[in-house]
Amino acid sequence: MALARDGEDRVKLLERFHEEHEFIERVAGALYRWAEEGGDPADAGRFAHFLAVYSAGFHHAREDGILIPALVEHVEVPADRGPIMVIQEEHHRLEELAARLGSTADREVAREIARILWEHIDKENSVLFPEAEERLHREGVRELEDRPMTPDEEAARARGEALVERYSPLEDPDVVRGEGCIICSAYAETCRGIEAEWWNRWEWENHFRKDHGG
Ligand SMILES: [Fe+2]
Ligand SMILES: [Fe+2]
């Protein structure tokens, strides 16, 4: 696995993504409590709005529009298969489900959104981001140009904070959180895992030597 970085050495955009994940997963927990404990049906539309405007429109849009193009351009990882394909398919799926939550207030849709978001965040935090950061550094890319939140996105974030206040985040006891490709539902289905999809020969040999004390 790629080396962890800290302090000034980190790509700031990825640091911001990590912070956004901490917030989004709390809203996912609030959504899960809303589903489990019979929250106000009118709040389905508020969750859907947060998911569409902040989670998809701000967060996922910058992963898709800044990080992934940078990886394809500077690092030359494939965009049409492997981890990037999986991540983008999940962004699309989450958008569809958020729209369905808004129109139906269906609690099973809410549970599915929360579960996908938790797994999605785990795989980005533990696989995509560290592997991306390692590669961007290797190519001399220290920073990626970001954009600020629009007023609508700030309002959506505030709405998410209000929902977390109203429904204290709840975890699904059946969901196992974790790190690495092994927790990813696409692993061995539509993606062969980061090593097979991204690693080059040098990385295989280098990691093999490190793992075996060489
Ligand atoms: Fe994502
Ligand atoms: Fe993300």
Side-chain angles (χ1 to χ4, degrees), residues 128-146:
L128 182 72
F129 292 175
E131 292 278 343
E133 187 157 53
E134 181 88 6
R135 283 163 173 71
L136 290 168
H137 272 266
R138 212 184 290 155
E139 297 303 315
V141 179
R142 299 279 153 174
E143 197 41 272
L144 296 168
E145 196 173 336
D146 200 3

Side-chain angles (χ1 to χ4, degrees), residues 17-18 20-21 24 55 59-60 63 87 91 117 120-121 124-125 128-129:
F17 284 167
H18 276 287
E20 290 161 20
H21 282 173
I24 292 169
S55 190
H59 179 76
H60 297 162
E63 291 172 341
I87 290 296
H91 290 169
L117 274 174
H120 186 78
I121 286 172
E124 287 182 343
N125 284 352
L128 182 72
F129 292 175

Side-chain angles (χ1 to χ4, degrees), residues 187-199:
Y187 183 49
E189 297 288 332
T190 56
C191 178
R192 294 172 299 148
I194 193 82
E195 291 93 342
E197 299 283 357
W198 277 20
W199 282 19

Side-chain angles (χ1 to χ4, degrees), residues 119-188:
E119 186 193 305
H120 186 78
I121 286 172
D122 286 343
K123 67 184 81 168
E124 287 182 343
N125 284 352
S126 70
V127 180
L128 182 72
F129 292 175
E131 292 278 343
E133 187 157 53
E134 181 88 6
R135 283 163 173 71
L136 290 168
H137 272 266
R138 212 184 290 155
E139 297 303 315
V141 179
R142 299 279 153 174
E143 197 41 272
L144 296 168
E145 196 173 336
D146 200 3
R147 69 165 177 85
M149 268 187 274
T150 65
D152 280 354
E153 288 160 354
E154 278 179 26
R157 182 170 170 118
R159 173 165 274 179
E161 281 162 2
L163 288 165
V164 169
E165 282 283 304
R166 183 153 190 201
Y167 302 100
S168 71
L170 179 69
E171 286 178 18
D172 178 353
D174 295 332
V175 167
V176 178
R177 307 286 302 267
E179 296 192 338
C181 290
I182 204 75
I183 53 102
C184 176
S185 51
Y187 183 49

